[in-house]
């Protein structure tokens, strides 16, 4: 019998690196979000389309019934499509009331992306606010200031194996953004190569400026749109590494950071 491989210690794994519509709907990159294991908690962040499938297909398998929490940074479908099915998986079909869902208030108001019945399956649903601390067992995380993006959106900061990680999810670049993201490892949603001021997303040009100012030990680019894929994210990451003298990585589907 094959031995079940396990990832030792705390880690985060990219179950997808797709950004924006076309890369997602064509599944040129997968869109399952990020699985995080830290301080004894299993958490999925932004379970986009295919998240459940990506968990079960992961080697070693990531078991959704072992989840302790689900975090949505915002309600866009590439970040939340699988949230209801992940709640079903976390609660074993609703038979075990457990787990916490963290989301901005607009994920459950008006036209909710998290169904009311599914919210009844979990221990609690916590509305995220800007610059607040939250807890899942021994694991804690902090939200950023509200990002500039068409939905209520917050970035995250937490520790992984004693090092700080920032998740700069979808946002327009704005003055003050960098105040929150002084971290060891900075994960950035970089949707397109050149600046597009009319669109509330980060370009590679802006990401480069932010990395230069913030000086993380490591920057990880993800959430790629069509034009980023065409520009070859790995080659762009190498170019930034050379230009800035800071390790810049382009995330790939399945990339694990320990
Ligand atoms: Zn978005």
């Amino acid at each position: 019998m094959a031995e079940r491989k396990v990832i030792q210690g705390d880690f985060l794994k990219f179950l997808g690196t797709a950004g924006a519509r076309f890369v997602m709907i064509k599944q040129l990159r997968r869109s399952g979000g990020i699985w995080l294991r830290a301080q004894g908690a299993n958490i999925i962040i932004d379970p986009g389309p295919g998240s459940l499938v990506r968990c079960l297909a992961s080697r070693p398998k990531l078991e959704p019934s072992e989840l302790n929490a689900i975090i949505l940074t915002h309600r866009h479908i590439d970040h939340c499509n699988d949230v209801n099915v992940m709640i079903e998986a976390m609660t074993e079909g609703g038979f075990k009331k457990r787990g916490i869902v963290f989301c901005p208030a607009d994920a459950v108001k008006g036209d909710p992306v998290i169904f009311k019945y599914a919210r009844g399956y979990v221990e609690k649903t916590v509305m995220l606010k800007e610059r607040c601390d939250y807890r899942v067992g021994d694991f804690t995380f902090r939200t950023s200031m509200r990002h500039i993006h068409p939905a209520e959106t917050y970035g995250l900061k937490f520790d992984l194996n004693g090092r700080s990680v920032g998740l700069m999810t979808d946002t327009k670049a704005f003055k003050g953004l960098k105040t929150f993201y002084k971290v060891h490892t900075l994960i950035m949603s970089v949707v397109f190569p050149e600046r597009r001021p009319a669109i509330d997303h980060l370009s590679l040009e802006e990401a480069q400026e932010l990395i230069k100012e913030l000086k993380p030990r490591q920057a990880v680019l993800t959430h790629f749109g069509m034009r980023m894929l065409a520009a070859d994210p790995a080659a762009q990451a190498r170019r930034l590494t050379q230009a800035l003298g800071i390790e810049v990585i382009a995330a790939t589907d399945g990339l694990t950071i320990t």
Side-chain angles (χ1 to χ4, degrees):
M1 203 172 83
E3 228 176 290
R4 186 178 181 231
K5 281 196 300 177
V6 288
I7 304 171
Q8 298 295 333
D10 291 352
F11 69 93
L12 69 80
K13 180 169 184 171
F14 290 85
L15 298 175
T17 53
R21 281 191 189 88
F22 294 103
V23 174
M24 170 190 65
I25 59 186
K26 292 171 189 292
Q27 287 290 293
L28 300 176
R29 291 285 184 105
R30 289 164 179 164
S31 47
I34 292 174
W35 184 291
L36 170 67
R37 184 163 78 207
Q39 301 289 108
N42 286 301
I43 296 166
I44 194 148
I45 304 170
D46 287 350
S51 190
L52 177 62
V53 175
R54 292 329 330 155
C55 290
L56 300 177
S58 276
R59 292 294 173 266
K61 184 165 108 175
L62 296 168
E63 181 47 70
S65 63
E66 291 172 8
L67 282 170
N68 303 101
I70 301 172
I71 305 174
L72 300 188
T73 64
H74 65 298
R75 60 169 290 152
H76 284 162
I77 199 161
D78 50 336
H79 295 255
C80 79
N81 184 77
D82 272 15
V83 65
N84 295 295
V85 77
M86 292 308 288
I87 289 173
E88 291 233 2
M90 175 168 75
T91 60
E92 299 188 34
F95 287 105
K96 284 191 180 161
K97 195 174 178 79
R98 58 186 295 273
I100 310 172
V101 172
F102 298 91
C103 62
D106 69 353
V108 295
K109 282 185 186 154
D111 181 13
V113 295
I114 310 175
F115 298 139
K116 203 172 168 186
Y117 89 86
R119 270 150 36 214
Y121 287 176
V122 301
E123 243 171 75
K124 55 181 173 178
T125 306
V126 177
M127 302 299 134
L128 296 174
K129 294 194 172 70
E130 60 182 350
R131 300 177 193 279
C132 285
D133 294 303
Y134 300 90
R135 172 175 289 278
V136 182
D138 291 334
F139 172 78
T140 57
F141 69 95
R142 186 168 177 79
T143 50
S144 70
M145 74 292 281
R146 186 171 171 166
H147 280 188
I148 299 180
H149 199 56
E152 188 180 348
T153 304
Y154 303 106
L156 308 174
K157 193 156 62 180
F158 50 85
D159 280 356
L160 182 66
N161 292 318
R163 287 173 172 164
S164 55
V165 177
L167 176 61
M168 189 186 284
T169 188
D170 296 3
T171 187
K172 183 188 185 71
F174 60 93
K175 202 170 181 280
L177 177 64
K178 64 178 181 293
T179 58
F180 179 74
Y181 290 101
K182 264 255 164 243
V183 288
H184 180 280
T185 297
L186 179 59
I187 301 168
M188 310 171 89
S189 277
V190 180
V191 176
F192 34 69
E194 291 97 26
R195 268 168 231 281
R196 297 172 75 179
I199 299 175
D200 291 342
H201 271 296
L202 211 61
S203 66
L204 185 64
E205 284 181 2
E206 291 155 324
Q208 180 168 356
E209 290 171 2
L210 284 163
I211 296 166
K212 191 176 173 182
E213 289 181 58
L214 285 162
K215 297 183 175 57
R217 291 293 294 275
Q218 182 182 54
V220 184
L221 314 178
T222 186
H223 210 57
F224 306 124
M226 294 292 270
R227 278 152 40 77
M228 263 308 284
L229 287 190
D232 186 351
Q236 297 300 330
R238 283 195 296 275
R239 183 177 63 75
L240 262 56
T241 299
Q242 286 209 325
L244 301 172
I246 291 168
E247 185 191 7
V248 181
I249 301 167
T252 48
D253 297 338
L255 174 72
T256 300
I257 294 177
T258 56

